[in-house]
Amino acid sequence: MSGDGREGDRRDDELRDARRIPGPRGAVDDLDLESVPRPVLPPRGEQAPEETVPKQEAPVPEDGAPGQEALKEEGAREAREAPETPEAQEAPEAPEVPEAQEVPETPEAPGASAAPDGPAPEEEGEYVVYEPLSETATADPAASAASPHPGTADAPPAPVTPATPPAPALSHQVLKALLGAWALSACSAEETAAVEEHLTSCAPCADEALRLRDAVGLLHTDGSLDLDPGLRARVLDGCLGRRPARIPVPEWVTPYDAETARLDALVRDFGAAEWHAPVQLQWFEEERAVTRRTTVAGVIGHLMAVDGLLSAVLGLEDPLAAAQGRGGSEVPLTPVRRTEAYWAATHPPATRAVREPWRDLTHRLISTASIAGRNVAERSVSYGDFALPLQDALLDRAFECWVHGTDIAEAVDYPYGPPSAVHLHRMVDLAARMLPAALAGRRRAGLAGPARELVAPGEPGRSVHLEVEGHGGGDWYIALDSPAAVGSPDRAVAQVALDGVEFCRLVAGHISPVEAAAGQEGDREAIRDVLFAAASLSRL
């Protein structure tokens, strides 16, 4: 030990900043010096290994040499009386970490083996655990003593985050405006807490919040938001049951009334983008499919132009004549030419403004036919190449409203179901009654097989059994050789089965005859002629 109270060798640097950890008290003669591991100390100026020196206990000779306890007490007394090092005195105060003190070297007891160097414990039974020293602590003992963690470089102080001031209290008006967002769970955590706290003390806001939450529950329903197709009929039946209509709508007008109302409900709330959505119209001519591209507004204009054929029969103004600015006698008669003339007269293309005149025309057709009653049901409506009674013409217009309503719904990606079973059955019946004449026309054009058995008008002839299944289905017998012949189950030479909706799609030209038949039996040529005749009924 040197004169200033420090050892002259390297142990003073290694032990200066060692922290003292109290250990268990034990008898002196329980220690085994040979079993105590000795630490490997690094040379001066080198980095200590990154591990903690194992705890060492004071050596005690095995033979219990006399005078050992006296030497231990003397070493402890010298350690308490030893002055502090100059470096420790000059370092800033660090009350959290006790400063290390220099401990005088304790002489070895006679007969004891060399024990590891270390400071004497402050009290009997307390031992020291050595910590590895860094280069900074070895080079600058004063800095090590001042650091909260001896042997490590001083870390910069952590930045102090200023306390966030409390959010200002929200007013009643602001909290009331947040009720909608709160009902949708769109508020922040702070806003949600403020709104819920406000609801406990404000009865009007609590009632409004309850109504908004109930409304939000309707937005998450698993059911379809579309109205039941039969709802309109049930409401009308209920109303008419309480107060019968002064002028009831005839039964043969109801399909047109229902389908125009369904189509109007589809397009009523369309925006500008939907009205200009592209629509692909498709029909069948001779042996091939034909398509035409237009818009939703163009489809409604097409329906209005063809409906003008019926308005002329009922004494109403022809919308095509009004669009062209000429007299009604100069307008074309065929549906295709009327449609082309209307599209040419409406330049730029029609927009959502076309809905009002179309819907007004449908209402006038229904009311005029209802007032006239059966007196006008048999009036002939000319389509140019053929003619239909007014009651069948209105059924044909109902069929076209449904078909083009499906085209519009597909263009805007919206569901659109078929008509009611009663109305669909009537549409299938109309197509089946038109098939013999269509088949005769194709035979005259060389597109169908020749007639095999000519019979007198009104007599049963060769027939094809048309079995329509499912929605609006039934059984029809189509005369093959003459439009004047009568179809008969006794003269059936073939049978073909189709679904009701599929048959209507075939008549509309939306599927080919090859894809339509679900079941065929009998004369293949007769079945082919009937299916292609059904597809030829389609038009623009």
Side-chain angles (χ1 to χ4, degrees), residues 455-503:
V455 297
E459 294 294 327
R462 288 191 320 129
S463 306
V464 171
H465 178 197
L466 175 63
E467 182 181 359
V468 178
E469 302 171 341
H471 200 58
D475 294 280
W476 288 264
Y477 292 89
I478 312 302
L480 294 173
D481 298 323
S482 173
V486 178
S488 171
D490 298 333
R491 301 294 307 276
V493 297
Q495 180 179 359
V496 57
L498 300 92
D499 178 74
V501 176
E502 289 299 306
F503 177 75

Coordinates of all heavy atoms in Angstrom, one line a residue, residues 455-503:
V455 N -103.3 -29.7 -94.4 CA -104.6 -30.0 -93.9 C -105.5 -28.8 -94.1 O -105.0 -27.7 -94.3 CB -104.6 -30.5 -92.4 CG1 -103.8 -31.8 -92.3 CG2 -104.1 -29.4 -91.6
A456 N -106.8 -29.0 -94.0 CA -107.8 -27.9 -94.1 C -107.6 -27.0 -92.9 O -107.2 -27.5 -91.8 CB -109.2 -28.5 -94.2
P457 N -108.0 -25.8 -93.0 CA -107.9 -24.9 -91.9 C -108.8 -25.3 -90.8 O -109.9 -25.8 -91.0 CB -108.4 -23.5 -92.5 CG -108.2 -23.6 -93.9 CD -108.3 -25.1 -94.3
G458 N -108.3 -25.3 -89.6 CA -109.0 -25.7 -88.4 C -108.8 -27.2 -88.1 O -109.3 -27.6 -87.0
E459 N -108.2 -27.9 -88.9 CA -108.0 -29.4 -88.7 C -106.7 -29.6 -88.0 O -105.7 -28.8 -88.2 CB -108.0 -30.1 -90.0 CG -109.3 -30.1 -90.7 CD -110.4 -30.8 -90.0 OE1 -110.1 -31.8 -89.3 OE2 -111.6 -30.4 -90.0
P460 N -106.6 -30.7 -87.2 CA -105.3 -30.9 -86.5 C -104.3 -31.4 -87.5 O -104.6 -32.2 -88.4 CB -105.7 -32.0 -85.5 CG -106.9 -32.7 -86.0 CD -107.7 -31.6 -86.8
G461 N -103.1 -30.9 -87.3 CA -102.0 -31.3 -88.2 C -100.8 -31.7 -87.3 O -100.8 -31.8 -86.1
R462 N -99.7 -32.0 -88.0 CA -98.4 -32.4 -87.3 C -98.1 -31.3 -86.3 O -98.1 -30.1 -86.7 CB -97.3 -32.6 -88.3 CG -97.4 -33.9 -89.1 CD -96.1 -34.2 -89.9 NE -95.5 -33.1 -90.4 CZ -94.2 -32.8 -90.2 NH1 -93.4 -33.6 -89.5 NH2 -93.6 -31.7 -90.7
S463 N -97.6 -31.7 -85.1 CA -97.4 -30.8 -84.1 C -96.1 -31.1 -83.3 O -95.7 -32.3 -83.3 CB -98.6 -30.7 -83.1 OG -99.8 -30.5 -83.8
V464 N -95.6 -30.1 -82.7 CA -94.4 -30.3 -81.7 C -95.0 -29.9 -80.3 O -95.5 -28.8 -80.1 CB -93.2 -29.4 -82.1 CG1 -92.2 -29.4 -81.0 CG2 -92.6 -29.9 -83.4
H465 N -94.7 -30.8 -79.4 CA -95.2 -30.6 -78.0 C -94.1 -29.7 -77.3 O -93.0 -30.1 -77.1 CB -95.3 -31.9 -77.3 CG -95.7 -31.7 -75.8 ND1 -95.5 -32.8 -74.9 CD2 -96.3 -30.7 -75.2 CE1 -96.0 -32.3 -73.7 NE2 -96.4 -31.1 -73.9
L466 N -94.5 -28.5 -77.1 CA -93.6 -27.5 -76.4 C -94.0 -27.5 -74.9 O -95.1 -27.1 -74.5 CB -93.8 -26.1 -76.9 CG -93.1 -25.0 -76.2 CD1 -91.6 -25.2 -76.3 CD2 -93.5 -23.6 -76.8
E467 N -93.1 -28.0 -74.1 CA -93.3 -28.1 -72.6 C -92.4 -27.1 -71.9 O -91.2 -27.2 -72.0 CB -92.9 -29.5 -72.1 CG -93.1 -29.7 -70.6 CD -92.7 -31.1 -70.2 OE1 -92.3 -31.9 -71.0 OE2 -92.9 -31.4 -68.9
V468 N -93.0 -26.1 -71.4 CA -92.3 -25.0 -70.7 C -92.4 -25.3 -69.2 O -93.6 -25.4 -68.7 CB -92.9 -23.6 -71.0 CG1 -92.2 -22.6 -70.3 CG2 -92.8 -23.4 -72.5
E469 N -91.3 -25.4 -68.5 CA -91.3 -25.8 -67.1 C -91.0 -24.6 -66.3 O -90.6 -23.5 -66.7 CB -90.2 -26.8 -66.9 CG -90.3 -28.1 -67.7 CD -89.2 -29.0 -67.6 OE1 -88.1 -28.5 -67.2 OE2 -89.3 -30.2 -68.0
G470 N -91.3 -24.8 -65.0 CA -90.9 -23.7 -64.0 C -91.8 -22.6 -64.0 O -93.1 -22.7 -64.2
H471 N -91.3 -21.4 -63.8 CA -92.0 -20.1 -63.6 C -92.8 -19.8 -64.9 O -92.3 -19.6 -65.9 CB -91.0 -19.0 -63.4 CG -91.6 -17.8 -62.7 ND1 -92.2 -17.8 -61.5 CD2 -91.6 -16.5 -63.1 CE1 -92.6 -16.6 -61.2 NE2 -92.2 -15.8 -62.2
G472 N -94.2 -19.8 -64.7 CA -95.0 -19.4 -65.8 C -95.1 -20.5 -66.9 O -95.4 -20.2 -68.1
G473 N -94.9 -21.8 -66.5 CA -94.8 -22.8 -67.5 C -96.2 -23.3 -67.9 O -97.2 -22.9 -67.5
G474 N -96.2 -24.4 -68.8 CA -97.4 -25.0 -69.3 C -97.0 -25.8 -70.5 O -95.9 -26.1 -70.8
D475 N -98.1 -26.3 -71.2 CA -97.9 -27.2 -72.4 C -98.6 -26.5 -73.6 O -99.8 -26.1 -73.5 CB -98.5 -28.6 -72.1 CG -97.7 -29.3 -71.0 OD1 -96.7 -29.9 -71.4 OD2 -98.2 -29.3 -69.9
W476 N -97.9 -26.5 -74.7 CA -98.5 -26.0 -76.0 C -98.1 -26.9 -77.1 O -97.1 -27.6 -77.1 CB -97.9 -24.6 -76.3 CG -98.4 -23.5 -75.4 CD1 -99.4 -22.7 -75.6 CD2 -97.9 -23.1 -74.1 NE1 -99.6 -21.8 -74.6 CE2 -98.7 -22.0 -73.6 CE3 -96.8 -23.6 -73.3 CZ2 -98.4 -21.4 -72.4 CZ3 -96.6 -23.0 -72.1 CH2 -97.4 -21.9 -71.6
Y477 N -99.0 -27.0 -78.1 CA -98.8 -27.8 -79.3 C -98.7 -26.9 -80.5 O -99.7 -26.2 -80.8 CB -99.9 -28.9 -79.4 CG -99.8 -29.9 -78.3 CD1 -100.5 -29.7 -77.1 CD2 -99.0 -31.1 -78.4 CE1 -100.4 -30.6 -76.1 CE2 -99.0 -32.0 -77.4 CZ -99.7 -31.7 -76.2 OH -99.6 -32.7 -75.2
I478 N -97.5 -26.9 -81.2 CA -97.3 -26.0 -82.3 C -97.5 -26.7 -83.6 O -96.9 -27.7 -83.9 CB -95.8 -25.5 -82.2 CG1 -95.5 -25.0 -80.8 CG2 -95.6 -24.4 -83.2 CD1 -96.4 -23.9 -80.2
A479 N -98.4 -26.2 -84.4 CA -98.7 -26.7 -85.7 C -97.5 -26.5 -86.6 O -97.0 -25.4 -86.7 CB -100.0 -26.1 -86.3
L480 N -97.1 -27.5 -87.4 CA -95.8 -27.4 -88.2 C -96.1 -27.0 -89.6 O -95.3 -26.3 -90.2 CB -95.1 -28.8 -88.1 CG -94.5 -29.2 -86.8 CD1 -93.9 -30.6 -86.8 CD2 -93.4 -28.2 -86.3
D481 N -97.1 -27.6 -90.3 CA -97.3 -27.5 -91.7 C -98.1 -26.3 -92.2 O -98.0 -25.9 -93.4 CB -97.9 -28.8 -92.3 CG -97.0 -30.0 -92.0 OD1 -95.7 -29.8 -92.0 OD2 -97.5 -31.0 -91.7
S482 N -98.9 -25.7 -91.3 CA -99.8 -24.6 -91.8 C -100.2 -23.8 -90.6 O -100.5 -24.3 -89.5 CB -101.0 -25.1 -92.5 OG -101.9 -24.1 -92.8
P483 N -100.2 -22.4 -90.7 CA -100.6 -21.6 -89.6 C -102.1 -21.8 -89.3 O -102.6 -21.5 -88.2 CB -100.3 -20.1 -90.1 CG -99.4 -20.3 -91.2 CD -99.6 -21.6 -91.8
A484 N -102.9 -22.2 -90.3 CA -104.3 -22.4 -90.1 C -104.6 -23.7 -89.4 O -105.7 -23.9 -89.0 CB -105.0 -22.3 -91.4
A485 N -103.6 -24.6 -89.3 CA -103.9 -25.9 -88.7 C -103.9 -25.8 -87.2 O -103.4 -24.8 -86.6 CB -102.8 -26.9 -89.1
V486 N -104.4 -26.7 -86.6 CA -104.5 -26.7 -85.1 C -103.6 -27.8 -84.6 O -103.5 -28.9 -85.0 CB -106.0 -27.1 -84.7 CG1 -106.1 -27.1 -83.1 CG2 -106.9 -26.1 -85.2
G487 N -102.8 -27.4 -83.6 CA -101.9 -28.3 -82.9 C -102.6 -29.3 -82.1 O -103.6 -28.9 -81.4
S488 N -102.2 -30.5 -82.1 CA -102.9 -31.6 -81.4 C -101.9 -32.5 -80.7 O -100.9 -32.9 -81.3 CB -103.8 -32.3 -82.4 OG -104.4 -33.5 -81.7
P489 N -102.2 -33.0 -79.5 CA -101.3 -34.0 -78.9 C -101.4 -35.3 -79.6 O -100.4 -36.1 -79.5 CB -101.9 -34.1 -77.5 CG -103.3 -33.6 -77.5 CD -103.3 -32.5 -78.6
D490 N -102.5 -35.6 -80.3 CA -102.5 -36.9 -81.1 C -101.6 -36.9 -82.3 O -101.3 -37.9 -82.8 CB -104.0 -37.1 -81.5 CG -104.9 -37.3 -80.3 OD1 -104.4 -37.7 -79.2 OD2 -106.1 -37.0 -80.4
R491 N -101.3 -35.7 -82.8 CA -100.5 -35.6 -84.0 C -99.0 -35.1 -83.7 O -98.3 -34.7 -84.6 CB -101.1 -34.6 -85.0 CG -102.5 -35.0 -85.5 CD -102.5 -36.3 -86.3 NE -101.5 -36.3 -87.4 CZ -101.8 -35.7 -88.6 NH1 -103.0 -35.2 -88.8 NH2 -100.9 -35.8 -89.5
A492 N -98.7 -35.2 -82.4 CA -97.3 -34.7 -82.0 C -96.3 -35.7 -82.5 O -96.4 -36.9 -82.4 CB -97.2 -34.6 -80.5
V493 N -95.3 -35.1 -83.2 CA -94.1 -35.9 -83.7 C -92.8 -35.6 -83.0 O -91.9 -36.3 -83.2 CB -93.9 -35.5 -85.2 CG1 -95.2 -35.9 -86.1 CG2 -93.6 -34.0 -85.4
A494 N -92.8 -34.7 -82.1 CA -91.6 -34.4 -81.3 C -92.0 -33.6 -80.0 O -93.1 -33.1 -79.9 CB -90.6 -33.6 -82.1
Q495 N -91.1 -33.6 -79.1 CA -91.3 -32.9 -77.8 C -90.0 -32.2 -77.5 O -88.9 -32.8 -77.6 CB -91.7 -33.9 -76.7 CG -91.9 -33.2 -75.4 CD -92.4 -34.2 -74.3 OE1 -92.5 -35.4 -74.5 NE2 -92.6 -33.6 -73.1
V496 N -90.1 -31.0 -77.0 CA -89.0 -30.2 -76.6 C -89.4 -29.5 -75.2 O -90.5 -29.0 -75.1 CB -88.6 -29.1 -77.6 CG1 -89.8 -28.2 -77.9 CG2 -87.4 -28.3 -77.1
A497 N -88.5 -29.6 -74.3 CA -88.7 -29.0 -72.9 C -87.7 -27.9 -72.7 O -86.5 -28.0 -72.9 CB -88.6 -30.1 -71.9
L498 N -88.3 -26.8 -72.2 CA -87.4 -25.6 -71.8 C -88.0 -25.0 -70.5 O -89.1 -25.2 -70.2 CB -87.4 -24.5 -72.9 CG -86.9 -24.8 -74.3 CD1 -88.1 -25.3 -75.2 CD2 -86.3 -23.6 -74.9
D499 N -87.1 -24.3 -69.8 CA -87.5 -23.5 -68.7 C -88.3 -22.2 -69.2 O -88.0 -21.7 -70.3 CB -86.3 -23.1 -67.9 CG -86.7 -22.2 -66.7 OD1 -87.2 -22.7 -65.7 OD2 -86.4 -21.0 -66.8
G500 N -89.2 -21.7 -68.4 CA -90.0 -20.6 -68.8 C -89.2 -19.4 -69.1 O -89.4 -18.7 -70.1
V501 N -88.2 -19.0 -68.2 CA -87.4 -17.8 -68.4 C -86.5 -18.0 -69.6 O -86.2 -17.1 -70.4 CB -86.6 -17.5 -67.2 CG1 -85.7 -16.3 -67.4 CG2 -87.6 -17.1 -66.0
E502 N -85.9 -19.2 -69.8 CA -85.1 -19.5 -70.9 C -85.8 -19.5 -72.2 O -85.2 -19.0 -73.2 CB -84.4 -20.9 -70.7 CG -83.4 -21.0 -69.6 CD -82.2 -20.1 -69.8 OE1 -81.6 -20.2 -70.9 OE2 -81.9 -19.3 -68.9
F503 N -87.0 -19.9 -72.2 CA -87.8 -19.8 -73.5 C -88.0 -18.3 -73.8 O -87.9 -17.9 -75.0 CB -89.2 -20.5 -73.3 CG -90.1 -20.4 -74.5 CD1 -89.8 -21.1 -75.7 CD2 -91.2 -19.5 -74.5 CE1 -90.6 -21.0 -76.8 CE2 -92.0 -19.4 -75.6 CZ -91.7 -20.1 -76.7

